[in-house]
Amino acid sequence: MHSGHLLLEEPIRMASILEPSRPNFFPAMTKIIGTLGPKSRSVEEISGCLKAGMSVARFDFSWGDAEYHQQTLDNLRDAIKQTRKLCAVMLDTVGPELQVVNKSEKSITLVADGLVTLTPHQDQEASNELLPINFAGLAKAVTKGDTIFVGQYLFTGSETTSVWLEVSEVKGNDVVCLIKNSATLAGSLFTLHVSQVHIALPTLLDKDKEIIRTWGVLNKIDFLSLSYTRHAEDVRRAREYLSKFGDLGQTHILAKIENVEGLNHFDEILKEADGIILSRGNLGIDLPPEKVFLFQKAALYKCNMAGKPAVITRVVDSMTDNLRPTRAEATDVANAVLDGTDAILLGAETLRGLYPIDTIRTVGRICFEAEKVFNQDLYFKKTVKYVGEPMTHLESIASSAVRTAIKVKASVIICFTSSGRAARLIAKYRPTMPVLSVVIPRLKSNQLKWSFTGAFEARQSLIVRGLFPLLADPRHPADSTNSGTNESVLKVALDYGKASGVIKSHDRVVVCQKLGDSAVVKIIELED
């Protein structure tokens, strides 16, 4: 895929930087998650997003009702049929998000050095002196000197649309705050964030459970983004709840780390979750600004070594209103790729942004360029050292497949898998070429009917860097020892690679598959 693989540690001709990149069937190894909403919900718009490189569609339930999101999802399915591009579905929970309620929707201007009172009495009118909030326990949670942030687009970093408050005193259930900067708040709901203070609300709210039980079950969601994950127990409870609903037992849980509490329990959360989302917007105001990059690098490293997908957010905020990112944002995306992120999550940029398709395309191009200078050799050695010896059988096969593919300069690695685990392990070693994950369906029964597994496993690889799924014909059993059957599945995978433009005549392909009780890695050299 990346024939001109470079290393930043080696001399690069400056003129070569200006050479145009050759287009690929896969726009980038790094995946892009797009949040669908007002500016990205028509079939035409979603089709454009899929063609530009979106592989996971996020549905954010902190706004909009189930009917609205269902219409958007139906449009997504139509777009998938039209474009023939696979796309996974992610449900993002509300969680213990605090909000200021502005029923009149009149703009509220707060002036620095003045006072404003936060009250749990939501029947009162919001004004520049009083802000009703949706949480009755705030007065018990905060103390004098605590910092509170309020804003409609609180986490964009704009200090004209968000306000910093300092708790001055607590009066009963009310909290009186000193206004630290002048700002104008507009809209019906503003987010409220209390810095480094525990909020006594469950991570999975009753509202979230209802959405999962209805919308989530109906649509067999691939991923649950668990907002405000603070402890490993949050993940366990969410998984226990999902397991009550048949197919949702297969749904992967991505723990969303949004505050210092989640940071302090990161290692335990990582062990329990299927992946991690670093919500840099919230983290950016819960942590000192100079500490955010350090947490990002440490968290991505831990996720990489655990072989679990890591996702980062808030990368090109300026593209919500502009056609180009800032230089700092473009560099930020590239550095996230070099740090090892699996996917970039776009929020406001695609939800309400003016250029959702262009944003996805731009982020994909930046990822592609960064991947060309990703030091795979150093990463591979570091991962092997971290895993240590003796390796498990599957880990040994996965690392051997990647090492072999790099040594023989293979154009692609093809992995046969039923659970997706083997393919994810190969992707963990970050090969420079794409990994085609051929998911072989398994026949299962719930005592009432027979069905095939495989669709979940195929779609869930769409969040893993470098992994591209292909669902095999169910007539080819996963545990087949019939060499003719295995060869026919391999032919389908090779034909797909050729049609995609990723495999050409005389290319070498590394194949990882199970033959009876043994897992084998073999090299195929294609003829004309």
Side-chain angles (χ1 to χ4, degrees):
M1 178 178 173
H2 298 146
S3 55
H5 202 75
L6 305 168
L7 287 181
L8 287 173
E9 291 81 358
E10 297 174 355
I12 297 176
R13 287 187 309 110
M14 285 302 174
S16 71
I17 294 173
L18 301 178
E19 293 172 1
S21 299
R22 287 187 295 177
N24 279 277
F25 171 74
F26 302 119
M29 299 280 229
T30 307
K31 304 301 176 64
I32 298 176
I33 302 167
T35 305
L36 302 186
K39 297 292 186 181
S40 54
R41 66 189 304 255
S42 69
V43 175
E44 181 183 9
E45 202 72 31
I46 297 173
S47 295
C49 290
L50 292 172
K51 291 175 184 175
M54 179 182 77
S55 63
V56 180
R58 172 176 172 256
F59 293 82
D60 184 1
F61 275 83
S62 62
W63 68 275
D65 58 23
E67 184 181 352
Y68 180 92
H69 289 301
Q70 188 61 52
Q71 290 171 355
T72 307
L73 180 51
D74 291 342
N75 288 345
L76 170 64
R77 287 175 175 146
D78 288 343
I80 289 171
K81 289 176 184 174
Q82 288 184 17
T83 61
R84 299 179 66 82
K85 301 274 188 185
L86 266 182
C87 186
V89 172
M90 176 186 288
L91 189 163
D92 200 314
T93 63
V94 178
E97 182 176 271
L98 307 188
Q99 294 176 331
V100 174
V101 182
N102 180 22
K103 293 180 180 177
S104 69
E105 298 192 24
K106 293 179 181 176
S107 295
I108 298 169
T109 299
L110 301 175
V111 180
D113 299 323
L115 294 175
V116 65
T117 300
L118 305 179
T119 180
H121 303 294
Q122 296 183 46
D123 55 333
Q124 298 195 43
E125 194 74 32
S127 68
N128 58 1
E129 297 178 349
L130 189 74
L131 296 177
I133 62 173
N134 66 344
F135 178 51
L138 184 65
K140 294 179 180 177
V142 299
T143 57
K144 185 175 180 179
D146 282 344
T147 302
I148 297 175
F149 301 87
V150 178
Q152 185 181 16
Y153 308 128
L154 176 61
F155 309 117
T156 62
S158 171
E159 291 187 10
T160 58
T161 60
S162 60
V163 63
W164 294 36
L165 306 174
E166 182 181 297
V167 175
S168 179
E169 63 175 315
V170 175
K171 289 184 177 179
N173 290 327
D174 292 347
V175 178
V176 180
C177 300
L178 175 68
I179 302 167
K180 303 292 284 184
N181 68 288
S182 298
T184 298
L185 307 176
S188 59
L189 285 175
F190 317 128
T191 304
L192 182 147
H193 181 87
V194 188
S195 183
Q196 301 194 24
V197 171
H198 174 75
I199 299 301
L201 285 172
T203 300
L204 203 59
L205 301 175
D206 288 341
K207 178 183 177 182
D208 294 322
K209 289 181 178 179
E210 179 63 16
I211 292 165
I212 292 168
R213 188 184 66 79
T214 53
W215 196 89
V217 170
L218 175 66
N219 296 297
K220 298 181 180 179
I221 56 170
D222 302 297
F223 299 103
L224 180 76
S225 168
L226 189 61
S227 296
Y228 296 95
T229 304
R230 296 165 284 187
H231 301 271
E233 185 61 26
D234 295 338
V235 182
R236 284 191 285 270
R237 287 177 181 171
R239 199 179 303 284
E240 184 182 341
Y241 187 71
L242 288 173
S243 67
K244 295 178 180 179
F245 305 108
D247 286 329
L248 294 199
Q250 299 178 70
T251 298
H252 280 188
I253 298 174
L254 299 179
K256 206 170 176 187
I257 308 299
E258 312 202 41
N259 52 33
V260 168
E261 202 170 353
L263 180 153
N264 285 332
H265 300 100
F266 184 86
D267 290 346
E268 309 96 89
I269 291 171
L270 178 60
K271 285 180 183 176
E272 198 66 39
D274 297 301
I276 296 289
I277 297 176
L278 302 180
S279 183
R280 301 192 310 168
N282 290 30
L283 280 167
I285 57 176
D286 218 43
L287 284 173
E290 66 274 17
K291 297 290 187 181
V292 177
F293 88 95
L294 195 56
F295 176 58
Q296 175 177 312
K297 286 179 177 289
L300 290 179
Y301 173 77
K302 286 175 180 285
C303 290
N304 289 168
M305 295 302 104
K308 293 187 177 183
V311 180
I312 70 162
T313 69
R314 309 311 300 242
V315 290
V316 285
D317 285 332
S318 70
M319 288 196 76
T320 304
D321 302 306
N322 300 303
L323 198 50
R324 287 166 60 90
T326 65
R327 274 69 62 198
E329 287 172 334
T331 303
D332 186 28
V333 173
N335 279 325
V337 172
L338 296 176
D339 285 345
T341 191
D342 283 84
I344 303 288
L345 191 156
L346 300 173
E349 302 100 321
T350 55
L351 174 81
R352 57 181 175 81
L354 301 179
Y355 311 102
I357 297 170
D358 291 289
T359 301
I360 292 169
R361 191 178 293 119
T362 299
V363 169
R365 283 201 299 262
I366 298 169
C367 291
F368 176 78
E369 292 296 329
E371 289 159 9
K372 289 199 298 186
V373 294
F374 180 74
N375 193 330
Q376 197 282 334
D377 184 54
L378 179 64
Y379 179 91
F380 186 91
K381 290 175 182 175
K382 185 169 61 177
T383 309
V384 169
K385 183 180 178 181
Y386 180 88
V387 171
E389 295 179 355
M391 281 186 173
T392 64
H393 181 67
L394 199 55
E395 190 97 41
S396 176
I397 291 292
S399 58
S400 297
V402 174
R403 188 192 300 272
T404 302
I406 290 170
K407 292 290 184 186
V408 303
K409 291 183 167 52
S411 58
V412 70
I413 299 173
I414 296 176
C415 176
F416 292 77
T417 181
S418 55
S419 67
R421 184 163 170 252
R424 286 195 299 273
L425 265 182
I426 291 174
K428 167 184 170 179
Y429 286 89
R430 297 285 191 259
T432 54
M433 65 290 296
V435 180
L436 284 184
S437 171
V438 183
V439 180
I440 314 290
R442 285 183 180 273
L443 192 62
K444 68 171 186 174
S445 171
N446 63 1
Q447 297 182 331
L448 293 175
K449 64 178 181 178
W450 290 90
S451 61
F452 285 101
T453 65
F456 268 99
E457 291 81 357
R459 292 193 300 267
Q460 284 164 347
S461 65
L462 290 167
I463 206 169
V464 180
R465 179 160 155 182
L467 203 51
F468 300 90
L470 177 63
L471 191 58
D473 191 319
R475 289 170 294 185
H476 296 142
D479 53 358
S480 173
T481 55
N482 184 313
S483 59
T485 298
N486 284 316
E487 288 304 314
S488 66
V489 177
L490 177 57
K491 185 179 184 305
V492 170
L494 291 171
D495 288 345
Y496 172 74
K498 291 173 186 174
S500 305
V502 75
I503 301 175
K504 305 182 298 299
S505 297
H506 304 294
D507 275 0
R508 288 173 176 170
V509 173
V510 168
V511 180
C512 183
Q513 66 185 124
K514 193 174 182 182
L515 293 176
D517 294 329
S518 302
V520 299
V521 174
K522 63 182 181 181
I523 305 165
I524 296 174
E525 191 153 353
L526 301 180
E527 299 175 352
D528 286 332

